[in-house]
Amino acid sequence: MSVRFDLPADLSASAPPEARGLSRDEVRLLVASPPGVHHTVFSAVGAHLRPGDVLVVNTSGTLPAAVDARRAGRPIVVHFATALDDGSWIVELRAPGGPLLDGRPGERLSLAGEASLTLVAPAVPGAARLWRAAVSVPVPSLLAAVGRPIRYGYVPRTWPLSDYQTVFAREPGSAEMPSAARPFTPELVTRLVTDGVLIAPLLLHTGVSSPEAAEPPQAERFRVPPTTAALVEWARARGGRVIAVGTTAARALESAAPDGAVRAAEGWTELVLGPDRPARVVDGIVTGLHAPEASHLLLLEAVAGASVVQQAYEAAVAERYLWHEFGDVSLLLRRSEE
């Protein structure tokens, strides 16, 4: 990984901006492109977009994917990451200090709501964090009854599920919020569309990233509709830039363009964007700020280039931007906005 920076602990956003007296679109926005860095607020993002640019947005909704459990009589938390085609789920076992890595095939856990979970096998052979598991009840009903949003140690209290939904959320399925879109409001989207910025929806259900584990992304379910593929190709042919709103949107769109042309696609993607697979379609990305060593940084480099990402993160630390899902946002462009 090319990008290096030190993240002070006090730059983690511990609550939604609304709890700090801000509206969603009043978080700070750092715009970085080859000419340099600009600081503004997210409500002014339209000043850095042009008529004919396409914002590609993820319509996945966030699940209340954290459920209390008991393991050998001790309380833990299970994070439900991904629903598999056979009805089983990928899960992560968590204690307050981080993921539990000593799971065993056949191990049975009691879940809140009088349900149970049985570990079947590691989700990735040879790895210990994520497990394929069988659950005794339908998981969507379980989550609706006893689940809550996943949160990590830098967020000290629970917030309602509505605080983890974006304005574009339509189809529940993400274990963690596709948080790059959180600063968008209906009013801001209306202004952007009125100014000629295009909006193209797609779907990618996110798994659990686990901030302690600098791992590549797991396979995730995605869908790029025919209308989105056509709109993106139409805009590209006319010089419009393709701006992914979040790493999830970038991964899904690039998964639908293996040869550089976007086509309708759906299924599972194992695509990992990075030095060996740079972005072929996405010209820029709206994204939150990611922790050092996070695999997301490689994706950002694949879109905007290592030098743009490095200068953005150095500026974000120097100007004390806030990190993580409730924090500030960046717009990284590999082509100048001029």
Side-chain angles (χ1 to χ4, degrees), residues 5 7 11 14 19 37 44 80 85 91-93 97 112 118-119 125 140 211 291 302 310 320 338:
F5 64 96
L7 177 61
L11 293 188
S14 60
V37 171
F80 285 83
D85 293 336
V91 302
E92 179 190 40
L93 310 185
T118 302
L119 301 182
Q310 183 69 54
R320 299 190 59 78
E338 301 300 328

Side-chain angles (χ1 to χ4, degrees), residues 90-106:
I90 301 298
V91 302
E92 179 190 40
L93 310 185
R94 300 276 305 189
L100 296 168
L101 305 178
D102 58 347
R104 306 180 308 277

Side-chain angles (χ1 to χ4, degrees), residues 68-77 94 100 102 109-110:
D68 289 326
R70 297 194 72 82
R71 186 188 194 207
R74 295 183 177 181
I76 67 166
V77 175
R94 300 276 305 189
L100 296 168
D102 58 347
L109 288 73
S110 298

Side-chain angles (χ1 to χ4, degrees), residues 59 68 97 168 185-186 237 283 301 311:
T59 60
D68 289 326
F168 303 113
T185 64
D283 299 302
E301 291 182 34
Q311 69 174 342

Side-chain angles (χ1 to χ4, degrees), residues 40-75:
T40 183
V41 295
F42 194 78
S43 59
V45 67
H48 302 277
L49 302 173
R50 300 191 296 246
D53 286 348
V54 183
L55 290 175
V56 181
V57 302
N58 187 1
T59 60
S60 180
T62 309
L63 297 170
V67 173
D68 289 326
R70 297 194 72 82
R71 186 188 194 207
R74 295 183 177 181

Side-chain angles (χ1 to χ4, degrees), residues 249-271:
R251 189 186 199 196
L253 193 64
E254 292 288 341
S255 297
D259 61 359
V262 182
R263 299 179 180 87
E266 63 180 302
W268 293 88
T269 177
E270 297 184 355
L271 176 66

Side-chain angles (χ1 to χ4, degrees), residues 70 86 108 136 164 167 196-197 233 236 240 247 266 277:
R70 297 194 72 82
D86 64 0
R108 186 176 180 274
S136 64
Y164 291 84
V167 71
V197 176
E233 286 300 296
R236 293 175 73 199
T247 57
E266 63 180 302
R277 172 50 165 96

